[in-house]
Amino acid sequence: MSQLTIESILQEKRLFHPSAEFSQNAQIKSLKEYQQLYDKASADPEKFWAELAQQELHWFQKWDKILDWQPPFAKWFVNGKINISYNCLDRHLTTWRKNKAALIWEGEPGDSRTLTYAQLHREVCQFANVLKQLGVQKGDRVGIYMPMIPEAAIAMLACARIGAPHTVVFGGFSAEALRDRLIDGEAKVVITADGGYRKDAAVPLKEQVDKALAGGDVTSVENVLVVRRTGQEVQMEPGRDHWWHDLQQSVSADCPAEPMDSEDMLFILYTSGSTGKPKGVVHTTGGYNLYTHMTTKWIFDLQDTDVYWCTADVGWITGHSYIVYGPLSNGATTVMYEGAPRSSNPGCFWDVIEKYGVTVFYTAPTAIRAFIKMGEHLPKARNLSSLRLLGTVGEPINPEAWMWYYRVIGGDRCPIVDTWWQTETGGIMITPLPGAIPTKPGSATRPFPGILADIVDLEGNSVGDNAGGYLIVRHPWPGMMRTVYGDPDRFRRTYWEHIPPQDGKYVYFAGDGARRDKDGYFWVMGRVDDVINVSGHRLGTMEVESALVSHPAVAEAAIVSKPDEVKGEDIVAFVTLEGTYQPSEQLSKELKQHVVKEIGAIARPGEIRFTDALPKTRSGKIMRRLLRNLASGQEVSGDTSTLEDRGVLDKLREGA
Ligand code: PRX
């Protein structure tokens, strides 16, 4: 990283207020109310969180100290005893919610299942007993490699119930990726399924587990539990492999939740940086429970009648925090969908919304861009009038994609919460509270109460309005990661040493560039590793890409730099086109002109490369690092294990 700050060039003037009706019924009803909460929390964050922890969660034993902060290591609710599975299940059973739908599940082939709180509780207790029977004890790690079926959530909650930290590995990852994560996490048991349905195919999972365990590198795994989902043939190794349904039948449904220490590890979740092996992000129990509970409640504005659907996979942090733990802790109805839009049913998401009357819908910008490309006739052909609130997460959303989401999916009536956060932060950090904070397309708006976010230069000094810089957090928060599993030094180096502590105060470095406008709204500009430097100006990727996407021909764009003798670096734009447009010299010229018009000559791409698809991670993030290699004619280097489709890279190479 150089000493320069990042320049911001995006101009976005549109402002959207929630309707008076929405605000009146909302958890947080006005900007004034938000501001009061924010000020109160900033003045004394510990007190703020402790009051909520007391009010909102069940503790077996109260803490002695709210926060023990030995930078960069935090402990929240020291010596408090709590169990997140108890908070997600048991405490609702003594209320009217006992027979409320906790989980509504829709399989890709169209099969479905609904579990009430009482039913989910029973399944979780039984499965917790299965784990115990296999010798899993408090503190043992459990690998979960599953499709999006109810058993994935049941497995997570059962682990939490007995205090065995889970490590969920996304079901789309390869056997090698799974093996590395099982080794690093020293998992004792792996829970999987024969397969799962994705895009009309039965994707094998057990087979991948067998591959991961073959060769003997994974020495910790003693047992493998297999859910029968697709019915495809699998090899069962006697003594090691067991069918879920067999064992589930043989145990009692009585399994009291283990009182866990607030700081006991709840899970490890691996996240990849641009270099090095994936980091095992460690989250603990009490603080994470509180943070996901509060953010779900206020940001998704949960009402008891809501049908809430987050389209993420449980293999990502979004699935952990906002499909399973946050919604269930609040006693909400959470929808889980196994499938993905596919050629046989590109409108399947809209079918799910219509079928269950989904009211709150949370998805990713990459999905929204794909919906735009598929055309608005698909959502228009369904009744989406049940929706009242929309959300996005995962990347900066281009203002034009935001507008499309607002108009076509939200029918011009649903607020959009653009939520900025990370695997490491555990929960949402910067976001509108939908009844209180007017939104601007492309901005995640304001920090959540209790989150002291700022934008600084490399010395740690706050930068002024509209100046780009590094996004940081100045005070610990309950949902923050506690360490990198097995590597506390890496935790310190990656997140706490880029920006030097000021007056002994450590700040959390998120690795994103951002600016704040005069209204205090944050605009996240992308990963600082992706920043480009043209003629001495550092530009974030998001703004130039948004300018390109605002042209009617462009569906998706990714910009990277390549070395240039004159400018230092020149911009290369990779562009995918909307259905009816064809690549041409003329269009290339037009797009360059369009960027000049939208932003200015400084951001004019030197080269436009048309492509059918962009290389993405399996969670949908564009891998600009690979494009950078291609643009400058280098071999693709570094870790490509998270790449979704290698064919995309080959095609891009051919086209080069
Ligand atoms: O660069 C930011 C981007 O995604 C990163 C975190 O990725 P991950 O740990 O996979 O978590 C994704 C789900 C929380 C961030 O550092 N990011 C996420 N949400 C946004 C975003 N960038 C801009 N706006 C967002 N709303």
Side-chain angles (χ1 to χ4, degrees):
M1 287 186 298
S2 90
Q3 289 293 321
L4 293 167
T5 53
I6 305 164
E7 294 191 23
S8 178
I9 44 192
L10 184 74
Q11 303 268 336
E12 175 58 62
K13 301 242 157 27
R14 290 169 287 201
L15 186 67
F16 293 81
H17 289 271
S19 69
E21 192 198 345
F22 190 101
S23 293
Q24 262 157 27
N25 297 319
Q27 297 276 354
I28 311 297
K29 300 182 191 324
S30 64
L31 194 54
K32 192 168 156 218
E33 195 184 339
Y34 159 78
Q35 197 62 52
Q36 281 167 351
L37 271 174
Y38 189 81
D39 293 345
K40 183 178 153 199
S42 307
D44 190 347
E46 272 101 299
K47 182 160 173 255
F48 172 77
W49 291 118
E51 277 174 13
L52 293 171
Q54 186 71 25
Q55 259 168 44
E56 300 278 334
L57 300 180
H58 173 86
W59 296 83
F60 299 115
Q61 181 187 304
K62 202 180 160 182
W63 55 90
D64 319 321
K65 191 173 181 197
I66 304 165
L67 171 66
D68 177 11
W69 177 224
Q70 314 284 340
F73 301 101
K75 290 183 180 156
W76 280 90
F77 309 113
V78 180
N79 290 330
K81 301 282 181 265
I82 187 167
N83 186 298
I84 195 169
S85 137
Y86 185 97
N87 277 313
C88 287
L89 300 169
D90 305 53
R91 64 170 169 157
H92 304 311
L93 302 188
T94 52
T95 70
W96 69 269
R97 293 195 183 96
K98 180 175 178 185
N99 293 319
K100 175 179 175 176
L103 188 67
I104 295 179
W105 171 77
E106 176 85 1
E108 195 182 83
D111 47 346
S112 58
R113 204 173 151 196
T114 298
L115 290 160
T116 64
Y117 273 93
Q119 290 168 326
L120 183 60
H121 174 259
R122 187 183 165 82
E123 295 275 343
V124 168
C125 288
Q126 282 180 314
F127 192 64
N129 279 332
V130 167
L131 291 173
K132 279 191 195 166
Q133 208 179 57
L134 292 175
V136 178
Q137 292 177 358
K138 189 168 166 174
D140 288 341
R141 270 83 56 218
V142 173
I144 298 180
Y145 183 68
M146 291 179 91
M148 285 288 286
I149 54 177
E151 286 80 357
I154 294 168
M156 290 164 76
L157 290 160
C159 288
R161 195 161 187 87
I162 62 172
H166 52 70
T167 166
V168 183
V169 179
F170 171 57
F173 274 138
S174 65
E176 294 75 49
L178 173 63
R179 186 193 55 208
D180 293 347
R181 286 159 177 78
L182 293 175
I183 292 174
D184 191 82
E186 302 158 298
K188 194 166 177 183
V189 168
V190 181
I191 307 166
T192 187
D194 48 1
Y197 292 105
R198 196 167 171 84
K199 302 201 172 173
D200 294 324
V203 180
L205 290 169
K206 172 64 167 64
E207 196 183 303
Q208 300 288 75
V209 173
D210 292 342
K211 278 191 203 151
L213 298 184
D217 293 341
V218 189
T219 50
S220 54
V221 172
E222 293 169 7
N223 290 286
V224 178
L225 283 148
V226 189
V227 177
R228 184 172 280 150
R229 164 68 186 131
T230 57
Q232 67 203 94
E233 205 177 305
V234 293
Q235 304 289 329
M236 296 293 276
E237 191 177 302
R240 186 194 72 180
D241 301 349
H242 318 269
W243 286 109
W244 169 299
H245 55 266
D246 283 346
L247 298 191
Q248 191 81 339
Q249 272 171 14
S250 67
V251 291
S252 110
D254 181 28
C255 180
E258 179 76 27
M260 301 300 293
D261 191 274
S262 176
E263 277 303 324
D264 277 338
M265 179 159 63
L266 176 64
F267 63 84
I268 307 172
L269 186 60
Y270 287 86
T271 181
S272 39
S274 46
T275 52
K277 64 172 190 160
K279 298 182 280 269
V281 171
V282 171
H283 283 286
T284 57
T285 308
Y288 176 83
N289 193 165
L290 177 66
Y291 198 67
T292 51
H293 179 96
M294 289 318 306
T295 47
T296 308
K297 181 169 176 165
W298 287 349
I299 298 163
F300 299 112
D301 188 45
L302 284 184
Q303 316 284 336
D304 253 318
T305 44
D306 275 321
V307 178
Y308 162 91
W309 181 24
C310 162
T311 68
D313 190 282
V314 288
W316 312 122
I317 189 70
T318 311
H320 285 55
S321 301
Y322 298 113
I323 296 178
V324 180
Y325 292 117
L328 296 177
S329 182
N330 279 285
T333 297
T334 181
V335 175
M336 187 175 186
Y337 180 53
E338 183 187 31
R342 53 204 181 273
S343 46
S344 68
N345 186 1
C348 60
F349 275 20
W350 321 125
D351 287 341
V352 172
I353 293 178
E354 186 175 84
K355 179 169 175 186
Y356 295 108
V358 169
T359 56
V360 181
F361 179 65
Y362 188 32
T363 195
T366 179
I368 297 167
R369 293 190 302 260
F371 301 144
I372 297 174
K373 215 170 166 187
M374 287 185 270
E376 40 187 277
H377 62 284
L378 294 167
K380 288 251 162 85
R382 274 79 171 184
N383 180 356
L384 304 182
S385 62
S386 57
L387 290 171
R388 65 178 197 90
L389 177 60
L390 303 175
T392 74
V393 58
E395 283 176 284
I397 181 165
N398 317 119
E400 291 320 310
W402 193 104
M403 289 303 303
W404 186 93
Y405 194 33
Y406 186 79
R407 178 176 59 82
V408 179
I409 307 305
D412 290 311
R413 79 182 173 275
C414 305
I416 297 178
V417 288
D418 172 356
T419 62
W420 177 86
W421 60 297
Q422 308 176 297
T423 305
E424 293 86 340
T425 67
I428 297 166
M429 304 285 280
I430 302 180
T431 175
L433 298 182
I437 300 179
T439 49
K440 302 183 186 184
S443 169
T445 75
R446 309 275 296 263
F448 194 77
I451 301 305
L452 306 184
D454 199 359
I455 297 168
V456 299
D457 60 21
L458 269 185
E459 271 79 56
N461 305 306
S462 302
V463 300
D465 286 355
N466 284 319
Y470 303 95
L471 183 51
I472 58 135
V473 186
R474 292 198 182 277
H475 192 275
W477 65 102
M480 67 194 276
M481 76 182 282
R482 298 300 195 262
T483 189
V484 172
Y485 187 69
D487 198 349
D489 265 0
R490 189 167 179 201
F491 173 60
R492 181 192 294 275
R493 277 196 319 272
T494 314
Y495 304 104
W496 302 93
E497 286 186 345
H498 284 289
I499 308 290
Q502 289 182 316
D503 309 326
K505 288 202 168 139
Y506 277 68
V507 297
Y508 172 80
F509 172 74
D512 283 343
R515 77 180 160 100
R516 188 168 35 196
D517 68 19
K518 63 176 185 2
D519 299 327
Y521 279 46
F522 285 71
W523 299 77
V524 177
M525 290 150 53
R527 301 292 299 163
V528 291
D529 305 339
D530 291 333
V531 157
I532 54 181
N533 193 331
V534 186
S535 310
H537 300 275
R538 275 163 75 83
L539 306 176
T541 49
M542 193 270 182
E543 303 181 319
V544 184
E545 289 164 4
S546 289
L548 283 162
V549 173
S550 71
H551 188 282
V554 177
E556 202 163 30
I559 64 144
V560 296
S561 61
K562 72 170 183 192
D564 181 275
E565 280 179 12
V566 181
K567 301 183 193 168
E569 289 178 354
D570 193 14
I571 296 176
V572 180
F574 291 82
V575 167
T576 65
L577 295 176
E578 292 276 358
T580 49
Y581 290 87
Q582 292 299 324
S584 69
E585 254 318 294
Q586 181 51 33
L587 183 57
S588 176
K589 272 196 198 136
E590 205 179 304
L591 292 180
K592 290 178 188 173
Q593 255 333 97
H594 184 70
V595 175
V596 173
K597 182 173 117 257
E598 292 290 305
I599 298 180
I602 167 89
R604 180 192 162 88
E607 190 184 339
I608 305 267
R609 290 201 195 171
F610 296 105
T611 170
D612 290 342
L614 295 168
K616 291 186 184 172
T617 64
R618 290 177 181 270
S619 62
K621 290 192 210 301
I622 298 168
M623 294 179 82
R624 294 182 184 77
R625 175 167 61 84
L626 306 185
L627 293 174
R628 208 151 46 229
N629 290 152
L630 288 174
S632 47
Q634 296 161 352
E635 259 314 294
V636 168
S637 61
D639 180 22
T640 52
S641 68
T642 54
L643 186 62
E644 182 171 30
D645 179 357
R646 296 199 65 86
V648 171
L649 213 56
D650 297 336
K651 270 204 179 153
L652 276 165
R653 255 199 223 104
E654 282 160 23

